[in-house]
Amino acid sequence: MLAANRSLRLTIYALLAAILYLPGLGRPALWEPDEGRYAEIAREMVLSRDYVTPRDDFELYFEKPPLVYWAEAAAIRIFGPNEFAVRLPAALFSIGQVVVTAALADLMFGATAGFFAALVLALSPLFFGFARFATLDPALAFFLTAALATFYLAAREDSFSTPSARRWMLISAAMLAMGTLAKGPIALLLAGAIALAWLAIERRLREIVRMPLVWCGLIYAAIVLPWFILMEARNPGFLRFFFIHEHLERYTTSSEHGWGPWFFIPIVIGGMWPWIFFVPLGWSAMHANIALPNSAPDLSRRSDASFPAIWFIVIFVFFSIPRSKLGSYILPALPPLAIVAGYGLARLQALTDASRRRLFAVIAIANLVLAVALFIFFVLARRPINKAIGFDGLLIAAVLAASAIAMYALGRTATRVPYAVGALALAMLATVPLSARIRENAASISTYRDLARAVQPYLAADCALASYRHYVQSLPFYTSNRETRVEYWGELSEVSPPTSAKSAFLIGSDARLRQIWSSGSCMVLIANDRDLKALDDSLKPAPVVIGCEGKKFALYNGALAPPPSAAACLETNVKK
């Protein structure tokens, strides 16, 4: 039974999402490279009290706007420099996105559709994963969702010139401005394209003249321009780098994270599993103008169906065009799918018995196939897998298989449909702690918290921290020490190219490294396992292993004895 008051319903959804996303938020170590990078930029803002110019390892970093750094810095000031603080903004933005998505579905199609939209989005694997990951995309997704929702509310009015519509448009402009400060002009570009495409399809383009575009522009500029103006004043050339290099050139020419145009198809299917199967049902019901119980009579228009469709298509196509892609880019496209799937779930009981059984049979078979695939992967994989990860993977496979059987058995009759959906939701809920535990147990793949703890005692007496031909983004955050990079410039060179003036923190050759290593200056050098033999042969005195994690080893040239745990590192290296 849903609460009668919409505000109360949304508050409940927010609380449930918080219960889902916040517990254990700080347990996993920071994942390389993104979490380590954004955590360190925020920490350096707090340390320097310069909240205008982002810096990574105290080098200028111009690739992204500052809003998420500001949010992480605020959390660090409250909770200290830890994993919980740097992930908290992503969790809060995700909670907000669940609420906004539910509110929009509620207004469009009624309370039942709003409830299911919240359920679908909150328990979608991709959305849940990034709600607990310190990156910029949850913030962009939240502000873009809020901007589109408030634009749609304005469009529902009799005219864009009514006071209510004007207020919604001004709020939409403010949300787009915040989205721009979260990840750049992509927020304005996507929202504008979606709004224009929808107005064109609805044959309402002439209504643009009634919009308060001047006031929207002033609000957008008042929020966005101060930071950009300050950045250009303090860092001449920033605007060209940010807009031309980081956005235009990266979209049109970059092959970083290169993938084909098909990349987001499996990402969307897997990221929305198993709720993606209810999208066709919701879509067909929307186009048939089938109204839900308790929904207002004027909310069954086909325009209600076209808006989430255009929303999803524009974002999906836009991010599919360039070669440079990451799975998190598609996050802003999940809310419209959640709304459509939520509508489909709300329509389940109205289906004929035969149609409903076919749908549940398809979902059950798909879940069973996925369960078998996971079982085969974790049991028969050629390379040995961490036993804890394998066990949790098998548990997820068992949960999916059990939910498939329970859902099909319960969904055969209309009166038990809520129990079938409940079985599916409980199964996804059960995979949440298992997935979180898999991430923690996979720490050795791309996290270095334990390595930082191992080297911390050796950095106390002005001992330099350096990395050989790579840069471990999280080490400065964990050790509070600047990281000298050896023969590696990486993305930091795009703004701060290596020069002789920066030789203290940029070592340009092996010869220079050997000179510093043998000079008597204390150094902890982080190296990949493939470089250990060459370094052992070339560095004098011979490097002493003081710690390791994953493929990275900490080498030391000082007088302190290695800890007892270093013996395990040596054994690991011998086995490799």
Side-chain angles (χ1 to χ4, degrees):
M1 186 70 178
L2 298 176
N5 182 277
R6 180 181 293 136
S7 297
L8 179 58
R9 289 197 298 271
L10 297 179
T11 301
I12 292 171
Y13 301 155
L15 291 174
L16 292 176
I19 292 172
L20 189 63
Y21 299 146
L22 295 181
L25 191 64
R27 277 203 303 267
L30 296 175
W31 202 263
E32 289 285 323
D34 289 351
E35 285 199 304
R37 177 192 306 119
Y38 300 138
E40 176 59 12
I41 292 172
R43 186 188 76 89
E44 290 179 19
M45 280 188 168
V46 174
L47 193 65
S48 66
R49 300 196 175 186
D50 180 359
Y51 294 94
V52 174
T53 303
R55 292 178 174 83
D56 184 15
D57 199 33
F58 296 94
E59 301 280 5
L60 298 176
Y61 187 83
F62 290 170
E63 292 195 6
K64 300 295 185 290
L67 187 141
V68 174
Y69 308 148
W70 291 341
E72 291 180 355
I76 287 173
R77 290 186 68 89
I78 297 170
F79 300 104
N82 55 60
E83 294 89 345
F84 175 83
V86 298
R87 293 191 183 114
L88 182 60
L92 295 179
F93 285 127
S94 299
I95 293 167
Q97 195 173 354
V98 169
V99 173
V100 172
T101 302
L104 182 57
D106 193 313
L107 287 164
M108 293 173 75
F109 304 115
T112 305
F115 165 77
F116 282 122
L119 177 73
V120 167
L121 188 61
L123 289 179
S124 291
L126 187 70
F127 189 83
F128 170 81
F130 281 102
R132 296 166 61 86
F133 194 89
T135 189
L136 312 182
D137 297 288
L140 172 65
F142 167 73
F143 288 117
L144 188 57
T145 300
L148 290 170
T150 47
F151 164 78
Y152 187 79
L153 290 176
R156 283 164 51 96
E157 299 288 333
D158 294 333
S159 169
F160 279 104
S161 59
T162 65
S164 179
R166 292 174 67 86
R167 283 194 297 271
W168 286 123
M169 286 294 295
L170 296 180
I171 294 172
S172 182
M175 293 298 100
L176 287 180
M178 299 296 281
T180 301
L181 287 178
K183 208 174 178 182
I186 190 70
L188 181 62
L189 179 63
L190 288 175
I194 293 166
L196 285 174
W198 181 71
L199 289 172
I201 286 177
E202 294 299 308
R203 299 179 181 179
R204 297 177 61 182
L205 281 175
R206 64 184 63 184
E207 296 181 29
I208 291 176
V209 298
R210 299 190 183 97
M211 296 179 183
L213 295 181
V214 172
W215 283 104
C216 288
L218 288 173
I219 287 177
Y220 181 88
I223 295 173
V224 168
L225 288 184
W227 179 76
F228 282 95
I229 292 171
L230 276 174
M231 274 292 291
E232 180 64 22
R234 296 186 184 184
N235 307 278
F238 159 74
L239 290 178
R240 187 188 185 286
F241 175 89
F242 184 82
F243 288 105
I244 303 301
H245 171 80
E246 182 58 22
H247 286 83
L248 181 60
E249 291 180 357
R250 186 168 181 177
Y251 185 83
T252 56
T253 64
S254 175
S255 59
E256 184 183 10
H257 316 300
W259 298 96
W262 50 267
F263 175 74
F264 286 115
I265 295 175
I267 295 294
V268 169
I269 293 173
M272 288 288 293
W273 192 277
W275 314 109
I276 192 71
F277 292 100
F278 297 100
V279 171
L281 172 61
W283 179 254
S284 62
M286 286 178 181
H287 274 266
N289 276 332
I290 300 175
L292 295 176
N294 301 321
S295 64
D298 65 334
L299 298 184
S300 58
R301 299 170 302 162
R302 295 194 181 193
S303 59
D304 288 329
S306 64
F307 188 69
I310 293 168
W311 180 346
F312 172 77
I313 291 169
V314 167
I315 294 174
F316 184 89
V317 171
F318 179 86
F319 285 119
S320 294
I321 293 172
R323 284 187 53 80
S324 181
K325 302 179 183 72
L326 289 174
S328 58
Y329 292 176
I330 205 68
L331 282 177
L334 298 190
L337 288 183
I339 291 172
V340 177
Y343 190 89
L345 284 161
R347 283 283 306 151
L348 274 178
Q349 285 183 296
L351 293 178
T352 64
D353 289 345
S355 297
R356 187 174 54 256
R357 286 171 185 169
R358 281 197 300 270
L359 176 61
F360 280 144
V362 169
I363 299 173
I365 292 171
N367 255 9
L368 286 171
V369 169
L370 179 59
V372 171
L374 287 173
F375 180 83
I376 292 173
F377 175 79
F378 285 109
V379 172
L380 301 180
R382 291 184 179 180
R383 292 188 177 185
I385 297 175
N386 180 301
K387 290 183 179 179
I389 295 176
F391 179 73
D392 287 336
L394 293 177
L395 283 179
I396 289 176
V399 168
L400 291 174
S403 71
I405 297 169
M407 181 201 61
Y408 181 71
L410 292 169
R412 294 174 64 85
T413 59
T415 56
R416 293 187 176 182
V417 165
Y419 300 106
V421 175
L424 206 57
L426 285 174
M428 297 310 297
L429 194 60
T431 64
V432 164
L434 296 175
S435 301
R437 198 161 65 184
I438 285 176
R439 177 180 173 180
E440 291 181 47
N441 290 328
S444 61
I445 296 175
S446 192
T447 66
Y448 300 104
R449 181 170 59 191
D450 289 343
L451 182 65
R453 290 171 177 171
V455 305
Q456 185 71 63
Y458 296 84
L459 300 174
D462 296 326
C463 199
L465 174 66
S467 55
Y468 185 71
R469 295 179 177 175
H470 66 276
Y471 171 48
V472 184
Q473 299 274 357
S474 60
L475 282 187
F477 181 83
Y478 282 128
T479 65
S480 300
N481 279 261
R482 187 169 181 178
E483 190 171 343
T484 299
R485 281 156 281 124
V486 182
E487 287 193 341
Y488 182 82
W489 320 125
E491 62 187 357
L492 296 180
S493 67
E494 294 179 337
V495 178
S496 301
T499 65
S500 58
K502 294 175 182 172
S503 59
F505 295 99
L506 293 169
I507 300 175
S509 66
D510 277 2
R512 178 61 180 159
L513 172 64
R514 290 194 295 270
Q515 182 182 5
I516 296 173
W517 185 271
S518 61
S519 68
S521 299
C522 177
M523 177 179 286
V524 173
L525 181 66
I526 309 300
N528 289 308
D529 53 4
R530 65 175 180 269
D531 296 318
L532 290 181
K533 186 178 186 307
L535 289 171
D536 190 59
D537 292 340
S538 63
L539 295 179
K540 304 300 178 187
V544 176
V545 175
I546 58 173
C548 63
E549 189 169 11
K551 295 182 178 181
K552 300 197 184 298
F553 286 71
L555 310 179
Y556 177 59
N557 69 346
L560 296 177
S565 58
C569 296
L570 296 173
E571 292 177 7
T572 301
N573 189 44
V574 169
K575 290 178 181 179
K576 291 180 179 180

